[in-house]
Structures are given as structure tokens and as C-alpha cells.
Amino acid sequence: MLLGRVKPLEAILETAEKKSLHRSLGPIQLMLFGIGCIIGTGIFVLTAAGAQKAGPGLMLAFAIAGVICVVAALCYAEIAAAVPVSGSAYTYTYATMGELLAWTVGWALVLEYAIAASAVSVGWSGYFAGSILGETLGIHLPPWLSAGPLALGGVEGGLINLPAALIALLVTWLLMIGTSESAKVNAVLVAIKVTALTIFIALTLPQVDVEQFNPFLPAGVFGGFGTGVGAVGAAATIFFAYVGFDAVSTAAEETRDPQRNVPIGLVGSLLFCTVFYILVAAGAIGTIGGQPIMGPGGIPFPAGSEELARQCALPVHAGALVCSDEALAHVLRQIGYSGIGNALGYAAFLALPSVILVLLFAQTRIFFVMSRDGLLPERLSRVHPKWKTPHVVTALTGAVVALGAAFFPVGQLADIANAGTLYAFMMVAVAVMVLRRTDPARKRAFRVPALWLIGPATILGCLFLFFNLPREAMIVLPVWSVIGLVIYFGYSRSRSHLGHGVVEVPEAELDLIEPDTPAIH
């Protein structure tokens, strides 16, 4: 049977039960942890792309994405508490719906993490070229070194985004030799990000001009499936700004009274970040305006398109929010706070490489778990004898990430990454409902309230956002999935350990490569 290979939960949990964790986290600690994990790349980088899709309706887009994240977060919390082991959505699916669907989820996560790392690299490049080189050192990189080709949504005369490729390769090298962040460094970076955005809000909100919000929804609430425009289309893009809450859900087994504290931590952090994001969007748009550049028929030019790049090259749009590679720093410079704008650019410059590192690590971890299950060649995740890292798969992943960062704009990359993310989140909701039916007596530190409502709402919400991505981004996931299925039936299925009756789940080698920071987008 195609869906018959379900990994026994007892085998998966055997190791986890040997590693009992002290329950010490309360609701406030969880909420702060969640805020640190969520606030990051998306708000620093995607504000411009979101505004091009929705204009001032970007504020509504943040609310839409936040609501869908809340219901997805609750599903993540239950399954993470019931199956507290490595592999995320891949492992959850393997334990509930079988190997074939687990493969599709793992394969989608590979796409998500690699493309997300490329998107963050491009975002970092914008702040590096603008705040560090341009504003501070007076060095202006020529277009052929700082952006991809115009045909791919870059700029006129663009060839390669060299800073983006180099930061991806540098972080890959650091990950290969075993450099990981400390929790203290991570806490400092979180503080820098939150402080920078708080200062941004404090400086921009007093200067807001309500006329800048008219029209509020220039592309409407719903631009149509596959268009990627309107408030819902923008929500599908800036969904990227919320990813990271799943790190909170994995802390369920370290939480006091998880049935009460986990939803407080998850929902509280997501609500805080949603309000925070809306205030940032209000400050940015209300000061310098955020109306999209319209194409034929009064429809915004697609974010990351050649047409938009040509428009942004015109002097009339030189100061537009939607054309900036470092949107928030650009806003502060436009309203007379150049020094603080540069400081915000420094904050992004310092904080974003850590995000690339964690995303690249997450990619290698998924490869590692799939390889351990026999679904990918063992040599891909072989651990280096000296560095204690899976150097082969890390190098391969880093090369692909650098390639994507070198030639594609951040908006396109974020949309593709979101396609994989939304599929994985949808499958987590399905896994929760399946496990409730197949194993209702299993101990759960946290149970989703009204799962009959929350589960389907998560599935429908993820599907709704997926179908509001641009068509090009939607097509990538099924094409990628077909490639994955060819590999699965041509290689993985016949070599699966579970297919050969091997069900043990060794975890020791994973401990060798585990960094001490959560995913921070």
C-alpha cells in the first residue's frame, strides 16, 4: 500500500523519553521567546514587496497572516507536545500518515528552508550595500555586482547580487566548521531587532499623514487567485514574516502547565507581533506613502518583476517605498533621520546572518533525518570527523542558496519559500486530527481546544494563502513535488529503512550538530 508505511510512534518517542526536560518555562517567558523568534527578516525586508501588492492595505495583510498563524500555531503545539523529537512536520507526518506523505512534506521543507535562506541573504545584501557601503563608506556598487539580471526582476544592467551570494557562502562555511551561536549572542541580536523597530515606530508615527492612506486598498482586498496582489496576496507574501513561531511550539515539554501556558505564549507572541508589524507598516506608509506602482488596467506591477524594476529605475519613483532594497532605513532617511536610518541598517546587517545560519541548519537537519530513515543517500549527511557537522549536505545546500540569492529578488524568493511552508503547516493540522482519531489515549501535554474548528480552519487558511500567491510561485511547489516523487519511487522507497523493517530512531548523532539557537525569521 502506498500509504501503508507508518513509523510506529513508540519507536520515535523511545529516545525522547530518555531525555526528560525540566519544566521551567512560564507564559511570559514563552511569549518573549516567541517574539524573538518571529520578529526578524520579514518585517525588515518584505515591507516594500508587501506595499507593492497592497499599498496601505499591507496593514490588513499583516492581520490576515497573523490570524492564520494563530490557528496553525495551536496545531503545531499539540503535535510537538505529543511527538517531541527531531524532524518537525516531516516526522509528525511519518508517524501519522505514512512514508509517502512524509516524503512530500520533507521535500517541501527542503524547498522552504533553502529558498528562505536565499531570501534572507538578498535582504541582508540590500542593507549592506545601502547602509554600510553607500551611506557609511561612500562606496556604491555597480548594478552588475549588486543585483540580478533585469529579466529575473533585478535592475537595468544587473548581473549578479554578489554580496548576497557571498554572505550565503560565508555562513555555509561557518556552519560546516561547526560555528554556532550562543544563547547570549542570540538574546543580544533579538534585543537589537526589537529596539530598532521600536525606535522606528516612535519616530514615524508622530509624522503620519492620513492622506497617505488614501486609497487604503488600491488593489482591493482580494486581487484574485494566482495574482498575488491585494491585501490577501500581500498576506501570502508577508506570511514569511511570522514563520518562527513553531520554535515556541517545540518548547511544550519544557513548559509549566502547558495546557494553559503554551496557547498564551503562542497566541500572545503572535498578537504582539501582529500589532507591532501593523504599527511599522503604518509608520512607513503614513510618512512617505506606500501606494503601489500601477500597471495596465490599474493593477500593480508584480513585485520582483522586470516591469517593476524598469519603473523603479525612473527618477519619479526613486524615493518610493516599494522600490527600496532597505525599506525601513530608507523611510527614516526620507523623513530626516539619516543617522538613525543607518543605525537601523546596521541592526539588520548584524542580525540577519544569524537567521541565514539557522535556516541553513534547519535544512541540513531535515536532510539528516531523511537520510537517517534511508530515504536519502547516507553519504549526504555524513558527519565530518573533526568538525562534527554534516559537511557534504551543508556545502551542497549552501551552493544552491548562494545561487538563488545571486540572481533572484527577495519578493520572488519569499513567495516560493511560503509555498513550501504553507504545505507543511497544512499537513501538521491534518496530522493532529489523524492522531486524535488513531491514538486518542496518547498523553498530550497540550490539546488544541475545539480541534473540530481549529484544524479545518488551519487547512483552509493555508490553502487560501497558497492560492493567493503569484502563479509562478504556486507552480514551483507541484513541479518540485513531482521531482521529489520521481526520486522517491526511483530511489528512496526501495532503500527505506522502515520498508526493510528497521524502525529504531537513533538520536545521538543529531546532538553532535545541534546549535543552541531556535529558528528566527
Side-chain angles (χ1 to χ4, degrees):
M1 292 175 59
L2 277 181
L3 302 181
R5 293 183 181 178
V6 178
K7 180 170 285 191
L9 257 179
E10 301 308 324
I12 294 176
L13 294 172
E14 184 177 348
T15 303
E17 289 172 358
K18 296 176 184 176
K19 301 179 182 179
S20 179
L21 296 172
H22 178 59
R23 294 189 181 276
S24 59
L25 298 177
I28 302 301
Q29 291 165 299
L30 269 183
M31 193 181 303
L32 293 175
F33 178 51
I35 292 167
C37 290
I38 296 166
I39 290 180
T41 313
I43 190 62
F44 278 105
V45 174
L46 292 177
T47 302
Q52 175 58 23
K53 291 169 178 281
L58 176 63
M59 299 164 64
L60 177 59
F62 277 122
I64 294 169
V67 168
I68 293 173
C69 278
V70 166
V71 291
L74 293 174
C75 292
Y76 245 101
E78 175 167 329
I79 198 80
V83 190
V85 293
S86 308
S88 184
Y90 162 76
T91 300
Y92 306 152
T93 308
Y94 214 156
T96 55
M97 291 176 282
E99 184 176 275
L100 176 60
L101 291 177
W103 168 269
T104 65
V105 172
W107 195 242
L109 289 173
V110 166
L111 177 72
E112 172 198 343
Y113 288 127
I115 300 300
S118 294
V120 180
S121 299
V122 175
W124 178 89
S125 173
Y127 282 95
F128 172 70
S131 296
I132 305 300
L133 294 184
E135 296 291 329
T136 303
L137 301 177
I139 299 171
H140 299 281
L141 288 179
W144 65 274
L145 280 180
S146 59
L150 181 63
L152 296 178
V155 300
E156 191 82 52
L159 177 63
I160 183 173
N161 191 332
L162 188 61
L166 290 179
I167 191 64
L169 293 174
L170 175 62
V171 172
T172 299
W173 177 71
L174 291 174
L175 199 56
M176 283 175 63
I177 64 173
T179 300
S180 63
E181 304 170 83
S182 71
K184 290 182 179 178
V185 170
N186 180 59
V188 170
L189 293 176
V190 168
I192 288 173
K193 291 186 298 185
V194 174
T195 301
L197 292 179
T198 302
I199 292 172
F200 179 89
I201 291 170
L203 293 177
T204 55
L205 286 187
Q207 299 194 37
V208 164
D209 177 5
V210 293
E211 286 301 314
Q212 299 283 17
F213 297 100
N214 186 28
F216 185 72
L217 293 166
V221 174
F222 177 62
F225 289 126
T227 63
V229 300
V232 178
T237 294
I238 52 88
F239 187 80
F240 187 85
Y242 286 95
V243 177
F245 68 77
D246 49 326
V248 185
S249 68
T250 61
E253 63 170 328
E254 299 174 70
T255 304
R256 300 191 308 270
D257 189 8
Q259 188 62 34
R260 170 181 176 270
N261 293 340
V262 167
I264 291 175
L266 281 167
V267 178
S269 59
L270 282 164
L271 288 176
F272 176 89
C273 291
T274 299
V275 173
F276 210 60
Y277 287 171
I278 290 172
L279 291 176
V280 169
I285 293 167
T287 49
I288 71 169
Q291 295 295 334
I293 299 175
M294 294 296 190
I299 299 173
F301 285 112
S305 67
E306 180 180 350
E307 298 90 341
L308 180 62
R310 290 187 188 279
Q311 292 293 318
C312 286
L314 300 176
V316 68
H317 298 310
L321 174 68
V322 299
C323 292
S324 177
D325 290 332
E326 40 167 0
L328 302 187
H330 172 73
V331 169
L332 291 177
R333 294 190 194 110
Q334 291 288 100
I335 63 173
Y337 294 106
S338 294
I340 299 175
N342 292 341
L344 188 145
Y346 302 154
F349 169 79
L350 291 172
L352 296 188
S354 68
V355 184
I356 304 169
L357 185 146
V358 179
L359 287 168
L360 280 171
F361 173 79
Q363 162 77 88
T364 61
R365 190 181 192 93
I366 294 296
F367 264 124
F368 201 99
V369 175
M370 294 174 76
S371 175
R372 187 185 61 191
D373 290 334
L375 301 180
L376 290 172
E378 183 180 349
R379 62 181 176 273
L380 276 182
S381 52
R382 191 171 295 154
V383 176
H384 193 280
K386 178 182 177 182
W387 299 334
K388 305 300 183 186
T389 61
H391 57 292
V392 176
V393 72
T394 302
L396 290 173
T397 301
V400 172
V401 168
L403 194 65
F407 297 109
F408 292 94
V410 65
Q412 287 185 9
L413 292 168
D415 285 338
I416 295 170
N418 284 345
T421 305
L422 289 166
Y423 176 66
F425 285 5
M426 181 187 74
M427 293 301 286
V428 165
V430 175
V432 170
M433 293 189 290
V434 169
L435 193 60
R436 278 277 192 100
R437 179 171 291 273
T438 59
D439 196 355
R442 178 163 299 279
K443 180 182 177 183
R444 292 166 170 82
F446 169 75
R447 295 175 67 91
V448 178
L451 180 60
W452 59 270
L453 175 63
I454 298 297
T458 302
I459 295 168
L460 292 174
C462 289
L463 285 172
F464 183 60
L465 287 188
F466 177 80
F467 286 112
N468 277 281
L469 290 168
R471 286 186 184 87
E472 297 78 8
M474 280 197 292
I475 291 170
V476 169
L477 183 62
V479 170
W480 178 252
S481 299
V482 168
I483 295 170
L485 289 173
V486 170
I487 295 173
Y488 175 75
F489 287 109
Y491 175 90
S492 307
R493 187 170 176 83
S494 63
R495 290 167 175 80
S496 162
H497 291 174
L498 185 61
H500 292 157
V502 180
V503 296
E504 70 267 15
V505 185
E507 292 273 332
E509 66 268 39
L510 277 173
D511 293 337
L512 295 175
I513 63 169
E514 183 173 8
D516 42 14
T517 56
I520 310 164
H521 289 207

